[in-house]
Amino acid sequence: MIPPEPERDDEPPTLVPVPDWTPEFVETAARPTRTPEPTDSAKTLVRLHIGQGIPRAVKRQLAEQVDRLGRERGIDRADVEAGLAEWARRPGAGPRLLPNLVADAARARTAPAASRRPSTTDDRMAAIQALKTATPTQPRRELE
């Protein structure tokens, strides 16, 4: 057996009148058909750092990435150039890798001096090499 439903103590919903007409058309927002053209400076940077043999479409995508990076705050042009140079050295790298390479270049540039310090072995070897090539400052005295 099913128990009876409890009595409703809330008010019944109010009905909202719906117009009996339909619109003739619905306006939609216009979408851009393609990405904006990269700036001439972005194209120039790509042309300077990327060699021959790269398809035009890939160069355009790289220029778009350079353009986006150029609009961001705090991105240094030298880091973008270093990223492009590293991209050119990597076979099989896609254009979307460029922002990561630029970030790597920025991290390398701003790394603390302690991490770039040569090892103590390098210091010792340099000191030994300096001793080998050094000329004595005082003449030797012969034994009498």
Side-chain angles (χ1 to χ4, degrees):
M1 264 175 97
I2 300 176
E5 288 190 29
E7 290 187 30
R8 298 179 66 162
D9 23 285
D10 57 298
E11 296 181 20
T14 56
L15 298 175
V16 179
V18 177
D20 57 352
W21 58 272
T22 57
E24 293 179 22
F25 66 93
V26 176
E27 190 173 339
T28 59
R31 293 184 187 162
T33 56
R34 53 187 286 214
T35 58
E37 186 70 21
T39 61
D40 289 338
S41 60
K43 290 178 188 177
T44 301
L45 273 177
V46 170
R47 191 172 39 250
L48 288 174
H49 293 283
I50 304 302
Q52 300 296 326
I54 304 295
R56 184 179 301 155
V58 174
K59 286 184 179 179
R60 178 185 167 81
Q61 291 172 359
L62 281 170
E64 289 169 2
Q65 291 289 337
V66 169
D67 204 25
R68 280 189 207 109
L69 289 167
R71 282 189 243 119
E72 287 186 32
R73 274 185 98 138
I75 303 291
D76 193 32
R77 179 185 167 139
D79 295 335
V80 174
E81 290 178 344
L84 281 168
E86 179 63 27
W87 186 92
R89 282 191 292 270
R90 292 188 179 199
R96 296 181 77 189
L97 180 64
L98 184 62
N100 296 325
L101 297 174
V102 170
D104 289 344
R107 278 193 296 273
R109 181 178 49 84
T110 60
S115 67
R116 293 183 294 208
R117 183 169 165 27
S119 70
T120 56
T121 305
D122 292 340
D123 291 341
R124 289 185 200 131
M125 291 303 295
I128 291 170
Q129 292 299 325
L131 286 174
K132 285 182 182 178
T133 59
T135 59
T137 56
Q138 295 179 1
R140 290 187 180 179
R141 284 192 272 165
E142 297 294 324
L143 292 175
E144 295 175 10

